[in-house]
Amino acid sequence: MNRDLLADFLRSRRARLTPREAGLPSGERRRTPGLRRQEVAQLAGMSIDYYIRLEQARGPHPSRQVLNALSRALMLSQDERAHLFHLAGQALEQPGGTGRRRGDVPEGILHLVASLEEVPAYVLDAKYDVLAWNPLAGVVLQNLDEQSPQEQNAIRWVFSSPDIAERLGNEETSRFARAAVADLRAAAGRYPGDPGIQALVAEMLALSPEFAEMWDRHEVEVRRDQRKVIHHPVVGDIHMTCQVLPVPDRDDLRLVIYTTEPGSPSHRAMRELRRVVLSS
């Protein structure tokens, strides 16, 4: 159980919720946004003293019943509820693991990635390290094969960019960056003992004010499918759907596949890019 992170998360979720959203009367004008501690305790059916101790990082180990009550009171999403359980050291539906990523890719997944010749495909772990990819993904992600293992990390690609402020002005890039940070926070809750994730977060907090601002929001959301545009110097813009598929029995890995709408200019651009890859 990480009492400090649990306390931070509870405070952040309480601050974002209005009385009206929680079904409570607004009452007098409030000096600070969000619910009061006694209102959360009331909604969760627990004593105010117990809840205060949780927010002050000095409370007891909360039971599953308490965590479920807090999830309902704070109107947590499914991903946020899972994060709350991880911070409290409670297994959700299945027993927890070692608290660390494994770092290997199953052989069957490697064969699958290699066989997907028509689309870019790669394997991403919970730290956003790219662990395996096919030739088309190496080209779409621009010189992935030439990068060092430390550079092959999607969080670093975004927040280490010298023009990060300008790039975040783009709605799509900003949405991806926020989703990635929220997903990384969820991973940090799932793997509290993982030194790689801890080191990456510390590095980005020191390097990027933009990352630090997003991290401080305590947003939690596991990454899922989304639309994105890849700007490639050979074929121009490619509008794609980023399909994120969990690897069975490995919650630290995702298979990412980029697809384009059949017959679209982006589909033709991807076919041209594949021709370039095969002829090189």
Side-chain angles (χ1 to χ4, degrees), residues 164-176:
I164 178 62
E166 180 181 348
R167 294 184 65 191
L168 290 179
N170 176 276
E171 181 181 355
E172 179 186 277
T173 303
S174 178
R175 183 169 61 249
F176 171 79

Side-chain angles (χ1 to χ4, degrees), residues 65-81:
Q65 182 179 2
V66 166
L67 294 174
N68 280 321
L70 287 171
S71 297
R72 291 190 296 269
L74 294 170
M75 301 178 68
L76 301 185
S77 68
Q78 180 178 348
D79 292 336
E80 290 170 334
R81 175 178 174 270

Side-chain angles (χ1 to χ4, degrees), residues 23-166:
L24 297 172
S26 298
E28 72 278 5
R29 187 174 180 179
R30 300 180 179 224
R31 289 178 293 179
T32 57
L35 296 179
R36 297 188 176 104
R37 288 170 171 171
Q38 59 265 34
E39 290 171 331
V40 175
Q42 174 189 338
L43 290 169
M46 64 182 62
S47 73
I48 178 61
D49 179 67
Y50 183 93
Y51 182 74
I52 288 175
R53 282 186 288 151
L54 287 176
E55 277 206 6
Q56 292 179 343
R58 58 184 182 87
H61 197 295
S63 66
R64 296 177 63 85
Q65 182 179 2
V66 166
L67 294 174
N68 280 321
L70 287 171
S71 297
R72 291 190 296 269
L74 294 170
M75 301 178 68
L76 301 185
S77 68
Q78 180 178 348
D79 292 336
E80 290 170 334
R81 175 178 174 270
H83 186 62
L84 178 69
F85 271 68
H86 289 134
L87 292 179
Q90 285 273 15
L92 203 53
E93 278 76 29
Q94 298 177 349
T98 63
R100 298 192 181 192
R101 295 166 298 128
R102 284 176 50 177
D104 64 305
V105 180
E107 186 175 1
I109 298 299
L110 293 175
H111 293 328
L112 175 61
V113 170
S115 70
L116 295 172
E117 299 179 353
E118 298 284 340
V119 294
Y122 59 93
V123 178
L124 195 69
D125 74 358
K127 183 190 163 207
Y128 273 66
D129 283 341
V130 181
L131 302 182
W133 57 92
N134 63 7
L136 198 51
V139 173
V140 167
L141 298 177
Q142 299 189 33
N143 303 319
L144 183 58
D145 296 301
E146 301 174 10
Q147 298 177 15
S148 68
Q150 183 178 15
E151 293 173 318
Q152 293 164 352
N153 179 276
I155 296 289
R156 288 194 178 97
W157 293 343
V158 175
F159 292 99
S160 298
S161 173
D163 59 347
I164 178 62
E166 180 181 348

Side-chain angles (χ1 to χ4, degrees), residues 127 155-156 184-185 188 194-209 211-212 215:
K127 183 190 163 207
I155 296 289
R156 288 194 178 97
L184 185 64
R185 183 174 277 284
D194 188 280
I197 293 177
Q198 294 172 1
L200 177 65
V201 171
E203 174 191 342
M204 291 296 102
L205 288 174
L207 174 71
S208 171
F211 178 91
W215 188 258

